[in-house]
Amino acid sequence: MNRILAVMKKQFKDTLKNKVVLLQFIMFPVIAFVFTEFVAKKSDEIDNFMFVAMFAPIYAGMIPLVNMANIIAEEREKKSLKMLIMSNVKPYEYLIGVGGHVLLLCALGSLVMAMSGGYSGAELFRFVFIMVIGALASLFVGAAIGIFSKNQSSSTAMATPFALVTSFIPMLAIFNENFSSVARILYTQQISFMMADMSATNFTWDRFAIIGANMLVFLGLFIFAYKKVDLKD
């Protein structure tokens, strides 16, 4: 646990130093806040939570995926990951530490988005809960890509298409009903459905079954990458 916390602490320091990475975590919460305050609340025809519900699946599908992949690939490229492992940090401890760091920042960003949308009480809890689950699913994909990538450039090249599919398909499905019926197999589409209606009755078992199935596939991909690639290289 001490080694995992040490890795998390290191990543927090690195993120604070890297303004570009930090901007990625706060960009969508800020955009959602601006659109809500200056567009939704100024119009009688737009619900206050509309833009938050629109940007939330993009945030959960893109930010943790891309950042997890880039962090691992960058440290593999700079050989700092090799040095950590040689310092008795086990690969799984490193991955949990990095994943915990990314997940915590995403949870904080999700909390800001929820408050921007005016959620409170049980709805606030449900919002952050489903966002954390979505971010966790994205982490598995990002970790697998980062492990397979030898450098940050290759991780960006692989992560971007995945992130575009997982994050923007729910937005496209809003404007095309036929597209929505196909996109429903994606975890981000189920997040989008739940964001549109935060009542407890809309949080059905079949939605979580689809999200769970996505997570199992992504977890399998991560386990395959973890066993296939030697992180000491």
Side-chain angles (χ1 to χ4, degrees), residues 76-205:
R76 289 197 69 198
E77 182 180 5
K78 293 180 177 179
K79 304 300 182 182
S80 55
L81 176 53
K82 182 178 180 180
M83 293 299 295
L84 283 171
I85 293 175
M86 290 176 64
S87 301
N88 294 325
V89 176
K90 294 180 175 59
Y92 76 86
E93 292 172 340
Y94 167 79
L95 292 170
I96 293 174
V98 174
H101 154 74
V102 174
L103 198 63
L104 181 57
L105 288 180
C106 287
L108 292 174
S110 300
L111 181 61
V112 172
M113 295 181 79
M115 295 174 68
S116 298
Y119 297 111
S120 61
E123 289 188 346
L124 176 64
F125 173 80
R126 285 194 287 268
F127 184 99
V128 176
F129 173 72
I130 193 60
M131 287 290 286
V132 169
I133 290 178
L136 181 60
S138 296
L139 281 179
F140 290 140
V141 182
I145 292 173
I147 292 172
F148 275 127
S149 303
K150 286 290 186 180
N151 52 60
Q152 195 171 9
S153 297
S154 62
S155 77
T156 301
M158 286 194 289
T160 301
F162 276 97
L164 290 175
V165 170
T166 58
S167 58
F168 283 99
I169 278 184
M171 181 179 288
L172 296 174
I174 294 175
F175 305 101
N176 189 311
E177 188 173 340
N178 294 327
F179 194 77
S180 176
S181 61
V182 177
R184 65 183 299 110
I185 64 173
L186 274 179
Y187 69 106
T188 44
Q189 182 62 58
Q190 294 303 319
I191 292 174
S192 181
F193 286 150
M194 286 186 274
M195 292 300 170
D197 180 5
M198 293 297 295
S199 62
T201 55
N202 191 42
F203 280 55
T204 57
W205 70 268

Side-chain angles (χ1 to χ4, degrees), residues 68 135-145 215-216 218-219 221-222:
M68 189 70 175
L136 181 60
S138 296
L139 281 179
F140 290 140
V141 182
I145 292 173
M215 292 183 72
L216 286 176
F218 300 153
L219 179 60
L221 179 64
F222 164 70

Side-chain angles (χ1 to χ4, degrees), residues 19-91:
K19 305 305 180 188
V20 175
V21 174
L22 184 61
L23 180 62
Q24 292 179 23
F25 284 103
I26 66 175
M27 178 175 61
F28 283 109
V30 169
I31 292 174
F33 172 79
V34 171
F35 272 79
T36 300
E37 289 295 319
F38 297 99
V39 179
K41 291 186 178 180
K42 302 295 183 181
S43 174
D44 296 331
E45 300 177 358
I46 301 177
D47 293 324
N48 289 344
F49 63 85
M50 173 183 170
F51 290 108
V52 170
M54 182 183 297
F55 288 117
I58 300 176
Y59 188 68
M62 175 179 288
I63 301 305
L65 192 159
V66 172
N67 277 279
M68 189 70 175
N70 285 345
I71 289 172
I72 297 173
E74 181 182 12
E75 298 209 337
R76 289 197 69 198
E77 182 180 5
K78 293 180 177 179
K79 304 300 182 182
S80 55
L81 176 53
K82 182 178 180 180
M83 293 299 295
L84 283 171
I85 293 175
M86 290 176 64
S87 301
N88 294 325
V89 176
K90 294 180 175 59

